[in-house]
Amino acid sequence: MKIVFKDINDKVTASYEKKRTTARDWLEATLFQERAEQRNNKMNEALLKIKSRSDSEEPLTDDDVSAIDASFSNKDVREGVLDGIDFLVKIYGKQFTKDEALDGLSPDEYNNAVNDAIEFALGGSGTQEEEKKPRSGTAKQQDELS
């Protein structure tokens, strides 16, 4: 897995690579996904409130609108992005800082990097070289017996 940072002129400033996933990576990915799910659930609850109110005869009050606006706050979006940046820093073994990641990734590159890191961490694939190595006859025989 590789991440590339660029400056405002789209010039590559740094790149980092991770060749092997660990149990800690898997744990970090599951914790990151859990926090993201909690943020999404909070927004879904607000949407359900809007839907239930729009289905009824009772109009939304100013308090309802304020509560709904608060559910979709920029604060939650910022927290989600910063959580993703922290996740990337951890997954790449602190090879770079939060500021480097924030300055070096566009929003699309950020999304792709987080998705790649989740897939890498949860895939548990180890290194690609390990997958390509021919296995010994003993390992092949054990697989055939399974």
Side-chain angles (χ1 to χ4, degrees):
M1 171 176 70
K2 187 175 185 176
I3 192 167
V4 177
F5 297 146
K6 298 177 183 176
D7 65 13
I8 59 171
N9 296 318
D10 208 31
K11 180 184 173 202
V12 173
T13 58
S15 66
Y16 302 94
E17 192 169 357
K18 178 155 181 156
K19 295 185 179 193
R20 183 175 174 273
T21 189
T22 65
R24 181 176 301 278
D25 296 340
W26 179 88
L27 180 62
E28 291 294 341
T30 58
L31 291 171
F32 172 74
Q33 287 185 312
E34 182 180 327
R35 290 186 301 270
E37 188 174 325
Q38 289 170 350
R39 286 187 296 272
N40 288 337
N41 287 343
K42 182 180 173 185
M43 285 193 266
N44 286 338
E45 286 173 14
L47 287 172
L48 288 174
K49 184 174 184 176
I50 294 169
K51 174 110 175 76
S52 68
R53 279 306 204 39
S54 67
D55 290 345
S56 74
E57 299 292 320
E58 192 177 326
L60 289 172
T61 66
D62 288 341
D63 288 340
D64 291 334
V65 173
S66 294
I68 291 165
D69 283 345
S71 297
F72 293 100
S73 73
N74 284 333
K75 180 182 177 233
D76 291 331
V77 174
R78 282 191 311 269
E79 285 176 4
V81 170
L82 292 174
D83 190 26
I85 293 292
D86 287 339
F87 170 66
L88 289 173
V89 170
K90 288 176 185 175
I91 290 296
Y92 276 91
K94 299 180 183 178
Q95 296 181 57
F96 52 86
T97 66
K98 271 171 85 165
D99 285 338
E100 285 179 278
L102 287 167
D103 293 336
L105 295 171
S106 71
D108 285 340
E109 291 165 343
Y110 161 81
N111 284 330
N112 291 336
V114 168
N115 289 334
D116 290 348
I118 290 170
E119 185 177 319
F120 182 81
L122 296 179
S125 62
T127 65
Q128 290 180 350
E129 283 76 27
E130 287 177 10
E131 293 173 8
K132 293 178 185 176
K133 286 182 186 174
R135 298 185 306 167
S136 68
T138 308
K140 288 179 186 175
Q141 292 168 348
Q142 288 175 351
D143 280 350
E144 290 171 3
L145 294 175
S146 302

